[in-house]
């Protein structure tokens, strides 16, 4: 890992999904945090269009940034469905900046939404690991467990009620009733 000067408001660190970019200083809403950079690829050139890696940032239908360069620390910013930053894409300049859309406190992971195409292709099959999705899944699992417990309790109570009702039908004031035609016997 390259050494990061203390002047920068971020650092690379371990996150739930691997490596991530974390704030080291408070970052105010609207502040430009970092630039996403690397070689510019042209989709009209077959050799450049066939490159496959996780760090490609599409500027438009023709131009893509290959962010796999080790000096590009912005590549460590992870996806979140509820991000605290967003990408500011400038296709004419062929530049991308990551900008804060919320106040970010020191120690918070910097993240942005990768977009629906990337989400469907890479994240949906394995499940999104962002904090909001993990929280949602945890809540759904807890609700499912609670429902399972309720269903089990209902299933245990149901035979007891049937058994109690069945014995009440057989005897009424000490006399048996309910023959084949439904009349009581004396």
């Amino acid at each position: 890992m390259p050494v990061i000067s203390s002047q920068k408001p971020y650092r690379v660190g371990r996150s739930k999904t691997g490596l991530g970019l974390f704030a080291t200083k408070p970052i105010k809403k609207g502040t430009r945090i970092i630039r996403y950079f690397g070689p510019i690829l042209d989709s009209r050139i077959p050799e450049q269009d066939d490159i496959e890696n996780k760090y490609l940032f599409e500027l438009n239908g023709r131009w893509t940034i290959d962010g796999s360069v080790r000096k590009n620390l912005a590549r460590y910013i992870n996806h979140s469905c509820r991000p605290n930053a967003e990408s500011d894409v400038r296709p004419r300049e062929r530049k991308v900046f990551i900008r804060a859309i919320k106040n970010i406190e020191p120690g918070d992971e910097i993240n942005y939404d990768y977009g629906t195409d990337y989400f469907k292709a890479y994240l949906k099959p394995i499940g999104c690991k962002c904090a909001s999705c993990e929280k949602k899944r945890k809540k759904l699992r807890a609700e499912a467990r609670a429902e399972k417990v309720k269903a089990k309790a209902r299933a245990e109570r149901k035979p007891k009620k049937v058994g109690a009702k069945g014995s009440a039908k057989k005897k009424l004031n000490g006399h048996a009733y309910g023959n084949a035609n439904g009349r009581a016997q004396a």
Side-chain angles (χ1 to χ4, degrees):
M1 287 286 147
V3 177
I4 302 170
S5 72
S6 60
Q7 294 176 353
K8 304 215 176 187
Y10 51 81
R11 68 170 177 79
V12 175
R14 181 72 48 200
S15 78
K16 290 181 182 180
T17 57
L19 292 176
L21 203 66
F22 292 85
T24 57
K25 297 178 181 179
I27 301 171
K28 291 186 179 181
K29 179 180 177 179
T31 304
R32 189 185 290 173
I33 302 169
I34 191 170
R35 181 176 166 211
Y36 195 98
F37 67 92
I40 304 293
L41 305 176
D42 187 347
S43 64
R44 295 186 306 176
I45 302 171
E47 300 85 45
Q48 291 183 356
D49 194 37
D50 291 340
I51 292 177
E52 281 291 325
N53 72 49
K54 293 189 283 185
Y55 305 114
L56 296 177
F57 197 110
E58 189 174 293
L59 295 171
N60 56 30
R62 180 176 175 193
W63 302 107
T64 302
I65 297 175
D66 180 2
S68 61
V69 180
R70 294 205 31 96
K71 286 186 177 184
N72 178 26
L73 297 181
R75 72 187 185 149
Y76 295 111
I77 300 175
N78 289 314
H79 165 81
S80 177
C81 294
R82 292 198 179 153
N84 55 16
E86 69 181 1
S87 57
D88 181 11
V89 181
R90 300 181 180 183
R92 287 182 178 240
E93 300 171 24
R94 297 186 188 145
K95 291 182 181 180
V96 174
F97 295 98
I98 308 303
R99 185 171 42 93
I101 57 173
K102 297 178 182 176
N103 289 332
I104 303 171
E105 297 300 319
D108 290 350
E109 185 173 4
I110 300 167
N111 46 48
Y112 65 92
D113 189 347
Y114 286 1
T116 55
D117 293 340
Y118 188 93
F119 186 87
K120 287 178 184 175
Y122 298 103
L123 299 175
K124 194 171 185 176
I126 60 171
C128 181
K129 304 284 188 228
C130 76
S132 63
C133 288
E134 286 288 338
K135 191 175 181 181
K136 193 185 308 179
R137 273 196 297 275
K138 186 176 180 180
K139 183 180 176 184
L140 289 172
R141 284 193 303 266
E143 289 172 355
R145 280 193 304 272
E147 186 59 38
K148 194 174 181 180
V149 167
K150 286 180 186 176
K152 187 176 179 181
R154 280 192 300 255
E156 289 175 357
R157 279 184 270 148
K158 201 170 191 177
K160 290 178 184 176
K161 287 181 180 178
V162 169
K165 287 180 183 177
S167 63
K169 286 180 182 177
K170 290 181 183 174
K171 290 190 177 182
L172 185 61
N173 294 331
H175 297 290
Y177 80 98
N179 62 7
N181 62 14
R183 293 190 178 165
Q185 295 175 350

